[in-house]
């Protein structure tokens, strides 16, 4: 008992308590850095994850941009290809790639038939048919205008002397333009002799003035465009009574390699002109057609 009482029991209790506290606090102190390091590691992981996500987003955006650009390029190329596909060959392209072939009576007949097939009955179309006797020999692309006319009109000097009617001509030459009209008149010098030649086109010349010229004196040859000659026939400033030869400038090609019948406006006027008594005169045998 003495020994027990002599001992400083309170100090032992305090020490025990202190030791227990110290023992309890030490692991806490050790756990705190672990927690801080784990937090740091978590923060680093989150930062790395965020950077990875940003990189993924940037990559995805770049992919979308490249896809959009590639799609735009593809659309542009497809549009170009469509435009190329839609581009059709023009008459000029076809004519430049093909060799010139001299016109024939069958060409004129097929033109008349195709033009009137949808607007006229079968009986009316039969009235448009022309036999071979209605045609002169066609130019084989070796003749000039003078040499061709000398071949198809061997008795021209006698024919022109017999012609005395006004508002009519013996030889009517049809071409596609005013410039071509002047060119053909120059080519007539070796053929016409004493014949009077008149140009009939719409450029800078009124219809009434041409009607006065036709009515004043005798005209043997007229060269002009189908539009103006059609207008003169409609107004009876020009008649087919004395007409003997109708020559179409069929084989001539302009700068775009187009013939007279390849130009829609000129072709329409030509077909309209033929309806003003010329086909009927050919069927009756008074007028013959030549394709130059």
């Amino acid at each position: 008992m003495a020994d027990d009482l002599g001992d400083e029991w309170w100090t032992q209790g305090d020490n025990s308590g202190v030791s227990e506290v110290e023992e309890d606090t030490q692991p806490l102190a050790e756990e705190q850095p672990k927690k801080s390091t784990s937090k740091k590691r978590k923060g680093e992981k989150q930062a790395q994850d965020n950077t990875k996500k940003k990189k993924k987003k940037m990559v995805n955006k770049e992919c979308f941009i490249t896809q959009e650009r590639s799609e735009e390029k593809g659309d542009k190329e497809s549009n170009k290809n469509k435009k190329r596909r839609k581009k059709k060959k023009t008459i000029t392209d076809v004519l430049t790639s093909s060799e010139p072939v001299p016109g024939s009576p069958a060409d004129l007949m097929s033109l008349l038939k195709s033009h009137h097939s949808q607007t006229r009955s079968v009986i009316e179309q039969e009235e448009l048919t022309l036999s071979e006797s209605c045609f002169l020999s066609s130019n084989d692309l070796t003749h000039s205008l003078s040499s061709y006319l000398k071949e198809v009109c061997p008795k021209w000097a006698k024919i022109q002397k017999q012609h005395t009617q006004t508002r009519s001509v013996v030889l009517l030459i049809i071409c596609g333009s005013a410039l071509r009209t002047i060119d053909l008149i120059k080519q007539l010098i070796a053929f016409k002799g004493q014949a009077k030649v008149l140009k009939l086109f719409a450029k800078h010349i009124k219809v009434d003035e041409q009607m006065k010229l036709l009515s004043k004196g005798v005209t043997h040859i007229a060269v002009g465009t189908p539009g103006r000659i059609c207008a003169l026939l409609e107004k009876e400033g020009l008649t087919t009574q004395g007409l003997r030869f109708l020559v179409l400038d069929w084989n001539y090609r302009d700068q775009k390699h187009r013939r007279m019948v390849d130009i829609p406006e000129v072709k329409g006027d030509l077909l309209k002109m033929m309806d003003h008594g010329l086909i009927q005169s050919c069927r009756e045998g008074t007028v013959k057609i030549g394709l130059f």
Side-chain angles (χ1 to χ4, degrees):
M1 292 296 289
D3 294 334
D4 296 332
L5 291 171
D7 296 334
E8 294 178 357
W9 56 270
W10 61 90
T11 57
Q12 293 176 359
D14 293 337
N15 291 329
S16 63
V18 170
S19 63
E20 288 175 0
V21 170
E22 289 175 355
E23 289 175 358
D24 292 335
T25 55
Q26 283 177 357
L28 289 170
E30 292 175 358
E31 289 176 4
Q32 284 177 356
K34 288 181 181 179
K35 288 181 181 179
S36 62
T37 55
S38 63
K39 286 180 180 179
K40 288 180 180 178
R41 289 176 182 175
K42 288 181 180 179
E44 291 175 356
K45 287 182 179 179
Q46 288 178 355
Q48 291 177 356
D49 293 335
N50 291 329
T51 54
K52 287 181 180 179
K53 288 179 180 178
K54 287 180 180 179
K55 287 180 179 179
K56 287 181 180 178
K57 287 181 181 179
M58 291 294 290
V59 171
N60 291 329
K61 286 181 181 179
E62 290 176 356
C63 292
F64 285 124
I65 291 167
T66 53
Q67 286 178 359
E68 289 176 355
R69 288 177 180 175
S70 62
E71 287 176 358
E72 288 177 357
K73 288 180 180 178
D75 293 335
K76 288 180 181 179
E77 290 177 356
S78 62
N79 290 329
K80 287 181 180 178
N81 292 327
K82 286 180 181 178
K83 287 179 180 179
R84 288 174 183 173
R85 289 175 186 173
K86 288 180 180 178
K87 188 178 179 181
K88 295 181 180 180
K89 287 186 177 181
T90 61
I91 295 172
T92 304
D93 296 332
V94 175
L95 293 175
T96 50
S97 61
S98 61
E99 294 182 359
V101 179
S104 64
D107 295 332
L108 180 59
M109 290 304 304
S110 63
L111 179 65
L112 292 170
K113 186 177 180 181
S114 62
H115 179 71
H116 296 292
S117 60
Q118 297 180 353
T119 57
R120 297 190 182 186
S121 63
V122 177
I123 297 171
E124 288 175 338
Q125 290 180 34
E126 289 179 356
E127 295 177 354
L128 299 174
T129 57
L130 299 172
S131 62
E132 292 182 1
S133 61
C134 298
F135 291 90
L136 300 167
S137 61
S138 300
N139 182 18
D140 58 358
L141 304 180
T142 61
H143 286 284
S144 65
L145 181 59
S146 292
S147 64
Y148 174 71
L149 293 175
K150 285 178 181 179
E151 182 180 333
V152 297
C153 310
K155 299 179 180 180
W156 172 249
K158 183 180 178 179
I159 292 169
Q160 74 170 17
K161 286 180 181 180
Q162 293 176 351
H163 179 65
T164 57
Q165 296 177 356
T166 58
R167 296 189 301 118
S168 181
V169 295
V170 180
L171 172 61
L172 181 60
I173 302 172
I174 309 298
C175 58
S177 66
L179 292 174
R180 180 61 177 169
T181 299
I182 296 169
D183 185 27
L184 290 176
I185 290 172
K186 290 178 181 178
Q187 294 183 30
L188 282 171
I189 294 173
F191 169 78
K192 66 176 184 177
Q194 300 298 321
K196 183 181 178 181
V197 182
L198 188 63
K199 54 186 179 184
L200 301 176
F201 51 77
K203 197 171 185 178
H204 308 305
I205 304 173
K206 295 180 179 179
V207 179
D208 295 335
E209 293 177 1
Q210 292 173 343
M211 291 174 65
K212 288 178 182 179
L213 291 172
L214 287 166
S215 61
K216 279 184 179 180
V218 177
T219 304
H220 303 93
I221 304 172
V223 186
T225 56
R228 176 49 56 93
I229 292 169
C230 185
L232 290 168
L233 290 170
E234 287 177 351
K235 294 187 176 183
E236 296 183 353
L238 178 67
T239 65
T240 59
Q241 292 178 359
L243 185 63
R244 297 280 301 275
F245 305 104
L246 175 64
V247 176
L248 304 179
D249 190 24
W250 190 274
N251 299 311
Y252 172 75
R253 298 177 185 270
D254 61 8
Q255 293 179 350
K256 296 182 179 180
H257 299 274
R258 298 176 301 177
R259 299 171 301 171
M260 178 173 60
V261 293
D262 294 325
I263 304 170
E265 297 82 6
V266 179
K267 182 178 74 173
D269 291 335
L270 175 64
L271 293 167
K272 188 178 178 182
M273 181 197 75
M274 295 294 288
D275 282 337
H276 285 284
L278 291 174
I279 294 176
Q280 185 62 31
S281 298
C282 292
R283 286 172 61 87
E284 293 173 355
T286 57
V287 177
K288 291 186 181 293
I289 301 174
L291 302 180
F292 172 65

